[in-house]
Amino acid sequence: MKLITAVFKPSRLDAVLDAVTEVGASGVTVSEVRGYGRQHGKTEVYRGAEYEVRLLPKVKVEIATSSDLVEKVVEAVSTAANTNKIGDGKIFVSDLESVLRIRTGERDAAALVG
Ligand SMILES: Nc1ncnc2c1ncn2[C@@H]1O[C@H](COP(=O)(O)OP(=O)(O)OP(=O)(O)O)[C@@H](O)[C@H]1O
Ligand SMILES: [Mg+2]
């Protein structure tokens, strides 16, 4: 099992949710976050003065998935989040040790089916 953590532009959230539903993700967790990548945010001009905006608003979507679905989900997120501009975001994939569905006690693969 893998945990996919994607950080991308808030304007792409609906498209990403549609795309991951389409490929069969059984659930998602969404957080509003702030962050920066290699440009370290950006500099904005407001009423003639320059303000450094160090942390830009992003959304973080976490999806736990079986290993055989991971590439499909990553591809779906990547395509839906892409605007071809800086700050489009990143997708992190990590090993996921276990999953427990609290209501039923089902674990791992059984806890991930939708
Ligand atoms: N190395 C990282 N570790 C943790 N979070 C990161 C990392 N890189 C990017 N992020 C998160 O992803 C968001 C978007 O990153 P961003 O797309 O700007 O990455 P980038 O490497 O600067 O690529 P680009 O040149 O396309 O902008 C950041 O605001 C931050 O929240
Ligand atoms: Mg960047």
Side-chain angles (χ1 to χ4, degrees):
M1 295 174 296
K2 302 285 184 184
L3 180 63
I4 298 163
T5 304
V7 180
F8 54 88
K9 290 179 174 166
S11 62
R12 303 310 300 158
L13 179 59
D14 280 344
V16 168
L17 295 179
D18 288 345
V20 300
T21 302
E22 181 76 21
V23 296
S26 66
V28 299
T29 301
V30 178
S31 312
E32 293 176 5
V33 297
R34 296 186 303 156
Y36 63 79
R38 61 184 172 175
Q39 290 84 14
H40 290 231
K42 64 179 182 189
T43 302
E44 285 187 357
V45 178
Y46 179 68
R47 294 189 176 173
E50 263 194 4
Y51 290 87
E52 174 108 345
V53 182
R54 193 173 209 179
L55 295 167
L56 297 171
K58 302 287 171 182
V59 291
K60 181 171 79 173
V61 169
E62 293 162 296
I63 302 169
T65 175
S66 59
S67 297
D68 58 338
L69 209 60
V70 66
E71 275 312 317
K72 269 190 179 170
V73 174
V74 167
E75 180 65 31
V77 173
S78 171
T79 302
N82 190 356
T83 69
N84 241 324
K85 300 215 172 68
I86 60 167
D88 271 354
K90 289 219 170 83
I91 302 172
F92 309 96
V93 179
S94 37
D95 288 329
L96 180 60
E97 196 171 297
S98 72
V99 179
L100 169 67
R101 180 176 274 131
I102 291 173
R103 179 175 59 85
T104 59
E106 293 163 294
R107 285 179 182 268
D108 301 338
L112 284 179
V113 290

